[in-house]
Amino acid sequence: MELAFAASVYPANGTRAIHEIKPLSPKLVSAKKRSFHNRFLCSVVVAPDGNRVSEVELENRKHDLLLAVQDTQRGLVATADQRSVIEEALVCVEGYNRGAPIDLVMLDGTWRLQYTSAPDVLILLEAAARLPFFQVGQIFQKFECRNQYSGGVIRNVVRWSIPNLLEEQEGATLVVSAKFEVVSVRNIYLLFEEIKIQDINISEQLQALIAPALLPRSFLSLQILQFLRTFSAQVPIRNPGTARRSVGGLYYLSYLDKNMLLGRAVGGGGIFVFTKAQPLEL
């Protein structure tokens, strides 16, 4: 934010003079912010209207966080130093609306994963990095809670593929569904329900192998294609050794606005950085 200040001085003759200090140029302001940020990451600026932090300053902090996670492959190759910088940047952003209650209308929608330290997600990413026959595409969290008062449904969505058999990156979809309930100002309790595989998109190579385009397609080959395209499988989530008790856990939503969602799985389950994505149809 550019501000103009008036400074008054009294010369020797006793006449009061008013000197206007002009706003800094945008380039100079940007350079000063970067320099200041490098020294004091979590500094707070007091806006002239009395608000604790200006909107521009907040957006800068969010940008710093996204910049810190940019080259980590969503957390897979983050070094110890990078994790430390990311945690510090995360804490800075979390402080801007700490204590504000969860806005379910704002939470509703699709969020794309940018970074995580959660072991269960990193295992998937590591498998994709090590195994030539497995790919992991985009990962989302989809909240359905717009017309709710104390909870809703959350779906963890993973796009994955098997090269040459399914389409690149989005050959199939894994959906882990859970109900959630708001249990405090910022905590929600997840009750996982099922894992589902759906939206199978076979590759052109596999389609040509099953039903060649230059040959008459038999009824059997068409049935196989139809089965693969509509295939879905779902498995209920249960605790080992029990028949009815579902798996649950606390999830702390540490920051939320119209384009960023930060979360922490309570109990050391990892941190999550999400940005708002286009609506996802499941």
Side-chain angles (χ1 to χ4, degrees), residues 141-154:
Q141 274 191 345
K142 186 174 189 289
F143 285 87
E144 300 170 8
C145 52
R146 178 172 295 273
N147 298 318
Q148 304 298 318
Y149 296 99
S150 61
V153 174
I154 177 175

Side-chain angles (χ1 to χ4, degrees), residues 105-116:
V105 174
M106 187 176 292
L107 181 63
D108 184 87
T110 304
W111 302 85
R112 178 183 289 107
L113 179 68
Q114 302 294 341
Y115 173 86
T116 186

Side-chain angles (χ1 to χ4, degrees), residues 165-229:
L165 296 181
L166 304 177
E167 289 185 3
E168 291 288 329
Q169 302 297 324
E170 297 188 359
T173 301
L174 174 70
V175 182
V176 181
S177 301
K179 291 182 179 180
F180 75 90
E181 180 182 359
V182 179
V183 295
S184 68
V185 173
R186 282 281 172 173
N187 283 302
I188 62 176
Y189 183 78
L190 306 181
L191 189 63
F192 292 97
E193 295 187 314
E194 68 176 21
I195 300 175
K196 185 176 183 179
I197 296 177
Q198 62 183 52
D199 300 332
I200 305 295
N201 299 311
I202 63 175
S203 65
E204 294 182 359
Q205 297 95 316
L206 180 58
Q207 181 172 321
L209 182 64
I210 297 173
L214 300 180
L215 297 176
R217 297 185 175 186
S218 66
F219 176 77
L220 178 60
S221 64
L222 292 176
Q223 288 295 100
I224 293 174
L225 285 176
Q226 182 65 17
F227 170 78
L228 292 175
R229 289 168 179 167

Side-chain angles (χ1 to χ4, degrees), residues 72-272:
T72 66
Q73 297 182 27
R74 291 178 286 188
L76 176 63
V77 298
T79 65
D81 287 342
Q82 284 177 312
R83 287 193 292 269
S84 177
V85 171
I86 290 167
E87 177 68 26
E88 189 175 3
L90 189 80
V91 170
C92 283
V93 177
E94 288 174 334
Y96 286 129
N97 67 355
R98 188 183 303 277
I102 298 171
D103 185 337
L104 293 182
V105 174
M106 187 176 292
L107 181 63
D108 184 87
T110 304
W111 302 85
R112 178 183 289 107
L113 179 68
Q114 302 294 341
Y115 173 86
T116 186
S117 61
D120 53 345
V121 180
L122 293 180
I123 286 175
L124 283 177
L125 298 178
E126 185 175 0
R130 292 177 177 272
L131 302 176
F133 54 85
F134 181 60
Q135 292 180 343
V136 174
Q138 297 293 341
I139 299 176
F140 304 93
Q141 274 191 345
K142 186 174 189 289
F143 285 87
E144 300 170 8
C145 52
R146 178 172 295 273
N147 298 318
Q148 304 298 318
Y149 296 99
S150 61
V153 174
I154 177 175
R155 306 185 195 279
N156 296 302
V157 182
V158 180
R159 303 290 198 191
W160 61 280
S161 181
I162 300 175
N164 299 321
L165 296 181
L166 304 177
E167 289 185 3
E168 291 288 329
Q169 302 297 324
E170 297 188 359
T173 301
L174 174 70
V175 182
V176 181
S177 301
K179 291 182 179 180
F180 75 90
E181 180 182 359
V182 179
V183 295
S184 68
V185 173
R186 282 281 172 173
N187 283 302
I188 62 176
Y189 183 78
L190 306 181
L191 189 63
F192 292 97
E193 295 187 314
E194 68 176 21
I195 300 175
K196 185 176 183 179
I197 296 177
Q198 62 183 52
D199 300 332
I200 305 295
N201 299 311
I202 63 175
S203 65
E204 294 182 359
Q205 297 95 316
L206 180 58
Q207 181 172 321
L209 182 64
I210 297 173
L214 300 180
L215 297 176
R217 297 185 175 186
S218 66
F219 176 77
L220 178 60
S221 64
L222 292 176
Q223 288 295 100
I224 293 174
L225 285 176
Q226 182 65 17
F227 170 78
L228 292 175
R229 289 168 179 167
T230 60
F231 173 81
S232 67
Q234 56 193 53
V235 179
I237 299 176
R238 295 286 184 267
N239 269 325
T242 63
R244 298 180 180 179
R245 186 178 301 172
S246 297
V247 178
L250 278 176
Y251 188 33
Y252 176 62
L253 301 180
S254 58
Y255 180 84
L256 171 65
D257 67 15
K258 63 182 179 180
N259 54 32
M260 178 171 281
L261 170 64
L262 306 180
R264 295 177 181 267
V266 178
I271 62 177
F272 299 86

